[in-house]
Amino acid sequence: MKELYRQTIHLTAGVLIAFSVLIFKKQLIIPLVVSIAVGTLLYFLCKSYYIPIISDLLNLCKREKEDGRGAIYFAIGMLISLLLIDDINAVFFGILVFAVGDALATFIGVRGKLKMKYLEKTVEGFLAFFISSSLILYPFYGVYGILVALISALAEFVSKGLKIDDNLYLPLIVAFLLSL
């Protein structure tokens, strides 16, 4: 049940932030910097102190052996995308593809049967990411969108093996590829 809450928040926040990028464009940089600073401060405070609502929400969604840094990494990944990529549509789709694809990959993947032990991922999760990303990108980018969906699904699929949080680099990879 925790994973359902976690992925629902991931999906909802990601979609809202993606559309915020379309509306506010580069003006979103300052609120993102503030969010990262506040989020980092709350992250460290919650390790030592109980903060009403925030601690409860973190405990509701926290995975075993994970300390909740994913949201901060996601905000940093979005900030880097906004700073480095001029094409706002590419940044929008980078965030949207990551928010939808990663949430569905996890939600479907945890129930998957075809496991890749070294990568700690499932083929079903990979396919969920790839198909959802293709459905999002194809209407706007055609066959190139499907190629970007495949590359981003592969990048998400190997993320555990890379030992880098995919929240940090996936929005940037998708936005970069779409801006070419």
Side-chain angles (χ1 to χ4, degrees), residues 134-145:
S134 294
L135 290 172
I136 291 168
L137 295 175
Y138 181 76
F140 301 94
Y141 294 93
V143 175
Y144 184 67

Side-chain angles (χ1 to χ4, degrees), residues 24-165:
F24 299 109
K25 300 175 179 33
K26 298 281 184 174
Q27 295 172 349
L28 202 58
I29 290 172
I30 292 171
L32 268 175
V33 169
V34 171
S35 296
I36 292 166
V38 170
T40 303
L41 176 66
L42 289 173
Y43 165 76
F44 285 110
L45 284 173
C46 285
K47 285 182 153 217
S48 302
Y49 303 101
Y50 173 78
I51 300 172
I53 300 172
I54 295 169
S55 294
D56 296 329
L57 186 60
L58 287 174
N59 287 330
L60 180 67
C61 300
K62 189 166 71 170
R63 290 178 181 153
E64 265 186 54
K65 299 180 183 177
E66 188 178 276
D67 53 12
R69 288 178 283 178
I72 295 169
Y73 287 147
F74 187 29
I76 292 170
M78 289 185 295
L79 177 63
I80 293 169
S81 296
L82 277 169
L83 291 171
L84 297 180
I85 309 293
D86 287 329
D87 183 348
I88 290 299
N89 289 330
V91 175
F92 163 74
F93 282 111
I95 296 167
L96 187 64
V97 160
F98 174 68
V100 174
D102 194 55
L104 290 176
T106 301
F107 187 69
I108 291 170
V110 295
R111 291 160 181 75
K113 305 288 185 223
L114 301 170
K115 298 186 187 305
M116 305 297 288
K117 290 184 183 185
Y118 172 72
L119 299 174
E120 299 179 34
K121 302 280 184 164
T122 65
V123 172
E124 295 91 339
F126 167 80
L127 290 172
F129 193 107
F130 173 65
I131 292 168
S132 64
S133 299
S134 294
L135 290 172
I136 291 168
L137 295 175
Y138 181 76
F140 301 94
Y141 294 93
V143 175
Y144 184 67
I146 294 173
L147 177 64
V148 171
L150 177 62
I151 293 168
S152 59
L154 287 169
E156 195 277 337
F157 192 61
V158 300
S159 63
K160 294 274 191 204
L162 295 176
K163 306 278 192 248
I164 301 171
D165 193 303

